[in-house]
Amino acid sequence: MRKLPLYIFTENLNFFFRLNKELREKKIQFKILNIGNKLPNTPSLILTTSKELNRVERVNNKAIILAYSDTQKFENYFLEVLSSYRVGYKEIYSSLTFSIDPGKKIGLMIFLDEYFLDSYCCFKELAFIHILEEYIAYFGSKNENLWLNFKFGIGVISVTHKLVELIFNNYKDRKFIRIFLIDEYKSSKIRIYNKRKTKFSKDEIAALIIALREGIEVNLVNYETFFNQIKTKRLKIERWKDFKFEKNNGYDLSLEAIAKRVLNGELSLTESTKIIKENSYLSKNKN
């Protein structure tokens, strides 16, 4: 997925400083457009304020203009910016996927319509819950039929059990929700840097690897049974093995390379999981 170039067009210093801080934290590059200059004659994202919209000289209809209003919650505005830049601008998105590596620190990867949106390393459970609520509230307000997908690693089964129970209790009235329990074997052994040289914590990377795997789906009726079976070792979730894939059609198919392409917005979760499964099968046959 090709990301559009991003520009800031404003004389509102407070808006600029807040936006600049958030974009730099996310390692998102941008350029500043001086008031009076024409907009670039290419597809792009233009960030401005509602009060300055009338000063924007549109030279074509290719630019997407995201205008911030003082009556708007800035955090929500930035989610619109982030989703438009990393996933592509849409009025309505269809799914949010949260991939979680539970433990003393909670690694969290967030995907919107199956493309990477954001990541966090949460030191407290309350911080983790707050992030979920912020994303679900914002994107759910635009689509009441938004699918919520949760993929939990089971490395620390007691923590996973507690968090899954919490999710079911908090969102028991939602019809469109799916929860999966995922094997997280060796998920924390990989180190990945994306194009912007952003360093992700081992907990975030573990959450990313969990997102690329399949597991067992549980629901409100049967999840206690599944957890009891896992704890007593009467049920084992399929273990995903790491393979050093050969290059195919010029692409490096190692798990690290696939994960990098997911982080860079080049692959969706479905596409990456398909590649891993297909090449795992080929690798098994060659052994």
Side-chain angles (χ1 to χ4, degrees):
M1 180 179 293
R2 179 178 175 273
K3 295 183 176 68
L4 296 176
L6 191 149
Y7 300 92
I8 299 178
F9 183 89
T10 187
E11 286 184 328
N12 184 320
L13 292 181
N14 183 56
F15 170 70
F16 174 80
F17 286 133
R18 294 182 73 180
L19 198 52
N20 176 64
K21 178 178 180 293
E22 295 292 337
L23 291 172
R24 291 191 182 279
E25 284 184 359
K26 301 298 182 186
K27 306 296 183 184
I28 296 176
Q29 293 187 333
F30 62 90
K31 292 183 179 180
I32 299 171
L33 290 174
N34 294 321
I35 300 296
N37 289 359
K38 288 185 177 181
L39 299 182
N41 191 22
T42 56
S44 55
L45 285 172
I46 310 295
L47 312 183
T48 189
T49 65
S50 57
K51 293 180 180 179
E52 294 169 306
L53 267 177
N54 61 346
R55 303 178 68 179
V56 176
E57 182 183 353
R58 183 185 290 276
V59 295
N60 61 34
N61 59 4
K62 296 180 181 179
I64 296 171
I65 299 176
L66 304 179
Y68 170 69
S69 169
D70 290 338
T71 61
Q72 185 178 10
K73 186 178 178 181
F74 182 81
E75 289 77 10
N76 286 348
Y77 173 75
F78 190 74
L79 281 181
E80 182 180 25
V81 172
L82 192 64
S83 57
S84 298
Y85 177 75
R86 286 186 170 162
V87 181
Y89 176 79
K90 296 181 182 178
E91 289 287 343
I92 295 177
Y93 297 92
S94 60
S95 69
L96 261 178
T97 299
F98 300 96
S99 185
I100 301 116
D101 174 46
K104 290 183 179 179
K105 293 181 289 184
I106 302 175
L108 173 62
M109 282 272 166
I110 304 173
F111 299 84
L112 183 63
D113 282 2
E114 297 212 331
Y115 283 94
F116 170 68
L117 181 63
D118 211 348
S119 69
Y120 296 88
C121 182
C122 304
F123 292 87
K124 294 183 179 180
E125 183 182 301
L126 283 176
F128 167 72
I129 297 303
H130 176 72
I131 292 169
L132 295 188
E133 290 175 346
E134 287 284 318
Y135 281 78
I136 293 171
Y138 175 70
F139 291 105
S141 67
K142 294 175 174 292
N143 179 10
E144 62 180 12
N145 295 325
L146 179 76
W147 270 102
L148 301 181
N149 303 308
F150 297 87
K151 305 184 81 171
F152 283 92
I154 58 169
V156 186
I157 193 66
S158 59
V159 178
T160 300
H161 189 177
K162 179 182 178 182
L163 293 178
V164 168
E165 185 175 47
L166 189 150
I167 295 300
F168 274 129
N169 287 336
N170 286 358
Y171 302 105
K172 59 186 176 183
D173 295 328
R174 296 190 69 98
K175 292 190 296 184
F176 303 98
I177 183 171
R178 303 182 75 184
I179 295 181
F180 300 87
L181 305 181
I182 312 290
D183 165 54
E184 57 179 86
Y185 177 67
K186 288 187 176 181
S187 61
S188 62
K189 303 298 183 183
I190 297 173
R191 296 291 180 270
I192 297 172
Y193 295 83
N194 67 0
K195 287 181 179 179
R196 302 299 176 204
K197 305 299 181 184
T198 303
K199 185 177 181 180
F200 295 90
S201 69
K202 68 175 184 178
D203 306 281
E204 290 169 278
I205 295 303
L208 172 59
I209 302 306
I210 289 167
L212 304 181
R213 296 175 174 176
E214 296 177 328
I216 294 176
E217 183 175 359
V218 298
N219 57 45
L220 185 58
V221 175
N222 66 21
Y223 81 94
E224 289 287 5
T225 299
F226 275 108
F227 273 107
N228 288 333
Q229 290 178 346
I230 293 172
K231 289 176 181 178
T232 57
K233 298 183 178 180
R234 286 179 291 153
L235 173 67
K236 290 186 177 180
I237 295 178
E238 181 183 359
R239 171 155 289 182
W240 284 63
K241 297 180 179 179
D242 295 327
F243 293 93
K244 294 296 182 183
F245 303 138
E246 299 176 358
K247 287 190 176 182
N248 184 12
N249 295 326
Y251 284 109
D252 180 358
L253 295 179
S254 66
L255 185 59
E256 292 90 339
I258 293 170
K260 285 180 181 178
R261 293 180 67 193
V262 171
L263 289 174
N264 292 329
E266 299 169 23
L267 287 175
S268 69
L269 289 180
T270 297
E271 292 168 335
S272 56
T273 301
K274 181 180 178 182
I275 291 172
I276 291 171
K277 289 180 70 175
E278 289 177 348
N279 287 277
S280 294
Y281 176 76
L282 292 174
S283 297
K284 289 178 184 177
N285 284 349
K286 288 180 180 179
N287 292 336

